[in-house]
Amino acid sequence: MLDYWNDYPELQKNLIEVKELISQRLVINNPSIEEAITKFSSTGGKMIRPALFFLFADFGDKKETDQLIKIAASLELLHSATLVHDDIIDDAKTRRGMLSIQARFGKDIAVYTGDFMYTSYFELLAESMSDTPFLLKNARAMKKILQGELTQMTCTFNPDQTLCEYLRNINGKTAELIRLSCHEGAYFGGSDKNIQARAKRIGSSIGLAFQVYDDILNFSIELGDEKKPILTDVQQGIFTLPLLIARDNQPDIIRPYLETPEQLSKTELRQLASYVTEFDGISGALAFAEKSTHKALKEIQQLPDCDGKEILASVATQLLTRKY
Amino acid sequence: MLDYWNDYPELQKNLIEVKELISQRLVINNPSIEEAITKFSSTGGKMIRPALFFLFADFGDKKETDQLIKIAASLELLHSATLVHDDIIDDAKTRRGMLSIQARFGKDIAVYTGDFMYTSYFELLAESMSDTPFLLKNARAMKKILQGELTQMTCTFNPDQTLCEYLRNINGKTAELIRLSCHEGAYFGGSDKNIQARAKRIGSSIGLAFQVYDDILNFSIELGDEKKPILTDVQQGIFTLPLLIARDNQPDIIRPYLETPEQLSKTELRQLASYVTEFDGISGALAFAEKSTHKALKEIQQLPDCDGKEILASVATQLLTRKY
């Protein structure tokens, strides 16, 4: 998936190094977990968090490459660990178009695989930032991410979940880590406090837009042949922005679907998906994501000029036109 | 369970503070996890790791109580997190004489409860030791503990498991954290390098003896009415020292039991337990645990005199006469 960054060879080179470091660290004396990790890494994601980290590091003048690679790797590892454990909770069958670790190897292996990723993450932090305030920030970010997952879990199958609750959940489970990635990039790249504060705000906006867009993709029946399965969220009782907007617009029609979503037939799910489009769920969520992206772009324009600035703006825009 | 320390009021006072700090930290906005954590804490263990930590801290002259309480709490939290996740892997029905978190609340809640304990552990470390080499030591200890669990998992249901493999596993899964507790006590209490090195060695010896004794208790049918269920290890394919010694002494009789241990009837299990006693499995394992304890006691004698020294010797001896 790193060919996503083909147009940015320098960034891509850094991300390849991050991937190599992660592979080196995730060596373990257990054949099943070794295999689980290899499978997980080979289908790897776009590494958006490390990418944003490097782009923000570009605004500063410190270039301790080893340290930057380690910190970028820590961000991806934390993300991976949460994915592996979340798939256990969601009973997710697939991840990145492949069987999830828990579906392929069982929950037991998935628990330890995630734990092992957490220990490697923690080890990288201890090696790269022990004398900085970011150690504590990492611990607290980890807590917020978990809290986001947990409140999402509490909200599942609740047909009365509010937009506000939804936003709070995604602010924790997704935006927090993207915000941290941007903030750490600015800090460890050597930028001043103003740029650091801006990086945090940009990270928040990108993070929210990113998750909302992800949730929109889950509703796009036109994307039926794409890697992601459709309406899986709804069946698991996870009600996201497009659905919640449509429900608020047409409660009489939408709400009944949310009572026992796990029992909906394929036909009913397709019907629901088209209702969500019809009652402005998709367009409303897209408008939210676009607004959040524009907020990020506006802040990016106010950053000092550097190579990374233009790339950053393109990346923020691209994330809202991706198909998976 | 803190009444275990009734004879040592000062130590007990410290442990109560540790318990309170842990309760404060483990507050979370999820009713199931909140309940799971409360249940887990209220049935709490003896807090041996924090206790050893404080006893070793006594040999130094630094007494930054807040820091010591936090570090002691971090040790107990790491221990608790590994217990919660291990119970998922072992499909354990009980823990500390009560239903385990995974049996009571399901694997999903158990995954997040463990994760939440890990984040709180990590937060405490970030607050208390960020500028010391012990951050990295903690990360590596965490890795070793996990590796110990994993190699144990690889060894399950293997009737040919060697004594050497068994010792390597318990050195990781149990001795590592007890060693770290003693080492951190000496370091953060302000002891010199010699005492620190001795603390590590004492921790190793106590840790090995402690686990072997735990494994012996699993075989003691006389303890049928005690809190721990009997021969659960064997049924789960976990073959420990008493069994391995008996097998090596009488392979023709014992080995067949190890082929399909999950299918053994209650009668067969009782027969196996009496074979293990008959073929010197219990006495052999006890001899190993005693040897390891004596090694610890000999080292303890060579520590400088202080209030904690005598307590430490009593505690090491007591751990080998406990009934649960």
Side-chain angles (χ1 to χ4, degrees):
Chain A
M1 287 289 286
L2 289 183
D3 50 5
Y4 185 84
W5 305 103
N6 278 347
D7 293 342
Y8 315 110
E10 203 176 328
L11 177 60
Q12 194 179 41
K13 191 180 138 278
N14 280 334
L15 294 177
I16 289 168
E17 275 190 59
V18 169
K19 206 174 165 176
E20 280 169 5
L21 177 62
I22 292 176
S23 302
Q24 282 164 27
R25 294 303 176 107
L26 293 184
V27 170
I28 192 160
N29 59 353
N30 179 290
S32 305
I33 295 192
E34 189 77 53
E35 196 191 334
I37 287 172
T38 311
K39 280 268 185 299
F40 187 85
S41 304
S42 64
T43 57
K46 291 185 278 297
M47 300 181 88
I48 285 162
R49 292 150 195 86
L52 287 170
F53 170 82
F54 283 119
L55 289 171
F56 273 99
D58 223 28
F59 290 94
D61 46 14
K62 266 201 258 166
K63 293 286 166 281
E64 290 176 35
T65 319
D66 272 6
Q67 189 196 29
L68 296 184
I69 298 283
K70 278 185 180 178
I71 298 171
S74 76
L75 291 162
E76 187 65 15
L77 268 173
L78 175 55
H79 175 55
S80 303
T82 59
L83 288 187
V84 171
H85 278 185
D86 290 350
D87 285 345
I88 302 177
I89 279 69
D90 299 342
D91 255 321
K93 294 283 176 294
T94 59
R95 166 67 64 188
R96 295 172 176 166
M98 309 263 297
L99 276 180
S100 70
I101 290 186
Q102 72 108 4
R104 183 187 293 261
F105 300 95
K107 295 200 174 195
D108 300 355
I109 291 291
V111 171
Y112 277 152
T113 302
D115 285 356
F116 183 54
M117 287 171 166
Y118 278 126
T119 66
S120 300
Y121 153 72
F122 175 27
E123 194 177 27
L124 282 170
L125 296 188
E127 290 174 21
S128 63
M129 56 170 76
S130 65
D131 51 350
T132 76
F134 275 81
L135 198 68
L136 197 54
K137 284 190 203 299
N138 263 277
R140 299 205 167 138
M142 198 171 151
K143 213 168 211 171
K144 275 191 205 157
I145 294 166
L146 194 63
Q147 293 260 16
E149 294 288 350
L150 286 172
T151 40
Q152 174 175 301
M153 198 165 138
T154 319
C155 290
T156 49
F157 295 103
N158 175 10
D160 301 313
Q161 188 195 330
T162 64
L163 295 191
C164 186
E165 282 168 329
Y166 166 81
L167 290 174
R168 204 169 47 219
N169 296 349
I170 69 166
N171 186 46
K173 78 164 194 167
T174 308
E176 180 64 28
L177 188 52
I178 292 185
R179 180 163 50 235
L180 181 69
S181 305
C182 299
H183 192 185
E184 285 190 347
Y187 178 90
F188 289 100
S191 287
D192 64 30
K193 290 226 161 186
N194 277 333
I195 296 183
Q196 286 176 41
R198 208 179 282 285
K200 268 178 82 172
R201 291 196 298 272
I202 295 170
S204 289
S205 299
I206 292 180
L208 289 177
F210 183 74
Q211 183 61 52
V212 169
Y213 196 70
D214 217 43
D215 292 337
I216 293 170
L217 285 179
N218 204 270
F219 274 94
S220 311
I221 43 171
E222 294 79 7
L223 295 177
D225 52 351
E226 286 298 341
K227 287 188 173 181
K228 266 206 141 167
I230 290 163
L231 294 202
T232 43
D233 282 353
V234 177
Q235 288 176 282
Q236 286 164 23
I238 301 170
F239 304 147
T240 58
L241 195 58
L243 188 58
L244 298 177
I245 292 177
R247 180 206 58 192
D248 287 351
N249 287 339
Q250 285 286 347
D252 295 348
I253 293 176
I254 301 291
R255 212 181 168 290
Y257 284 92
L258 310 188
E259 302 284 351
T260 47
E262 71 283 13
Q263 292 169 17
L264 294 176
S265 68
K266 259 198 169 163
T267 320
E268 287 167 320
L269 284 169
R270 287 194 173 265
Q271 178 62 63
L272 176 60
S274 76
Y275 279 146
V276 167
T277 307
E278 190 180 336
F279 302 137
D280 297 329
I282 301 292
S283 56
L286 259 181
F288 178 93
E290 277 163 12
K291 199 173 149 195
S292 196
T293 307
H294 288 142
K295 207 169 141 192
L297 290 172
K298 216 169 137 188
E299 291 258 21
I300 290 171
Q301 285 322 316
Q302 291 171 59
L303 285 167
D305 288 330
C306 80
D307 288 350
K309 182 172 167 173
E310 211 176 309
I311 305 180
L312 193 58
S314 312
V315 167
T317 315
Q318 268 173 40
L319 285 177
L320 284 188
T321 50
R322 72 203 150 94
K323 291 264 190 313
Y324 48 86
Chain B
M1 287 289 285
L2 289 182
D3 51 3
Y4 185 84
W5 306 103
N6 278 347
D7 293 343
Y8 315 111
E10 203 175 328
L11 177 59
Q12 195 179 43
K13 190 181 139 277
N14 280 333
L15 294 177
I16 289 168
E17 276 190 58
V18 169
K19 206 175 165 174
E20 280 169 4
L21 177 61
I22 292 176
S23 302
Q24 282 164 27
R25 295 302 176 109
L26 294 184
V27 170
I28 191 160
N29 58 354
N30 179 289
S32 305
I33 295 191
E34 189 77 54
E35 195 191 336
I37 287 172
T38 310
K39 281 267 185 302
F40 187 85
S41 304
S42 65
T43 57
K46 290 184 280 296
M47 300 181 87
I48 285 163
R49 292 150 196 85
L52 287 169
F53 170 83
F54 283 119
L55 290 171
F56 274 98
D58 223 28
F59 290 94
D61 46 13
K62 267 200 259 167
K63 292 285 166 282
E64 291 176 35
T65 319
D66 272 6
Q67 187 195 30
L68 296 185
I69 298 284
K70 279 186 180 177
I71 297 171
S74 77
L75 291 163
E76 188 64 15
L77 268 173
L78 175 55
H79 175 56
S80 302
T82 59
L83 288 186
V84 171
H85 279 185
D86 290 349
D87 284 345
I88 301 178
I89 279 68
D90 300 342
D91 255 322
K93 294 283 175 294
T94 58
R95 166 68 63 188
R96 295 170 176 167
M98 308 263 297
L99 274 181
S100 69
I101 290 187
Q102 72 107 3
R104 182 187 294 261
F105 300 94
K107 295 200 174 195
D108 300 355
I109 291 291
V111 172
Y112 277 152
T113 302
D115 285 356
F116 183 54
M117 288 170 166
Y118 277 126
T119 67
S120 300
Y121 153 71
F122 176 26
E123 194 177 29
L124 282 170
L125 296 188
E127 289 174 21
S128 64
M129 57 170 74
S130 65
D131 52 349
T132 77
F134 275 81
L135 198 66
L136 197 54
K137 284 189 203 300
N138 262 276
R140 300 210 165 133
M142 200 171 151
K143 212 168 212 172
K144 273 191 208 159
I145 294 166
L146 194 62
Q147 293 261 15
E149 294 289 351
L150 286 172
T151 40
Q152 175 176 301
M153 198 165 137
T154 319
C155 290
T156 47
F157 294 104
N158 174 10
D160 301 313
Q161 188 195 332
T162 64
L163 295 192
C164 185
E165 282 168 330
Y166 165 81
L167 290 174
R168 203 169 48 218
N169 296 349
I170 68 166
N171 186 46
K173 77 165 195 166
T174 308
E176 179 64 28
L177 187 53
I178 292 184
R179 181 161 50 234
L180 181 69
S181 305
C182 299
H183 192 186
E184 284 190 347
Y187 178 91
F188 289 100
S191 287
D192 65 30
K193 291 228 160 185
N194 276 335
I195 296 183
Q196 285 177 42
R198 208 179 283 284
K200 269 178 81 173
R201 291 196 298 271
I202 294 170
S204 288
S205 299
I206 292 181
L208 289 177
F210 183 73
Q211 183 60 52
V212 168
Y213 196 70
D214 217 44
D215 293 336
I216 293 169
L217 285 179
N218 204 270
F219 274 94
S220 311
I221 43 171
E222 294 80 6
L223 295 176
D225 52 352
E226 285 298 341
K227 287 187 173 181
K228 268 207 139 166
I230 288 162
L231 293 201
T232 45
D233 282 352
V234 177
Q235 288 177 282
Q236 285 164 25
I238 300 170
F239 304 147
T240 58
L241 195 58
L243 187 59
L244 297 177
I245 293 176
R247 179 206 59 192
D248 288 350
N249 287 340
Q250 284 287 346
D252 295 348
I253 293 176
I254 301 289
R255 213 181 168 289
Y257 285 91
L258 310 189
E259 302 285 349
T260 47
E262 71 282 14
Q263 293 170 15
L264 294 176
S265 67
K266 259 198 170 165
T267 320
E268 287 167 321
L269 285 169
R270 286 194 173 264
Q271 178 62 62
L272 176 60
S274 78
Y275 279 145
V276 167
T277 307
E278 191 180 337
F279 303 137
D280 298 330
I282 301 292
S283 55
L286 259 181
F288 178 94
E290 277 163 12
K291 199 173 149 195
S292 196
T293 307
H294 288 142
K295 208 170 142 192
L297 290 173
K298 217 169 137 188
E299 291 258 21
I300 291 170
Q301 285 323 315
Q302 291 171 59
L303 286 167
D305 287 331
C306 79
D307 288 350
K309 181 172 168 173
E310 210 175 311
I311 305 180
L312 193 58
S314 311
V315 167
T317 314
Q318 268 173 41
L319 286 177
L320 284 187
T321 51
R322 72 200 150 95
K323 290 265 190 312
Y324 48 86

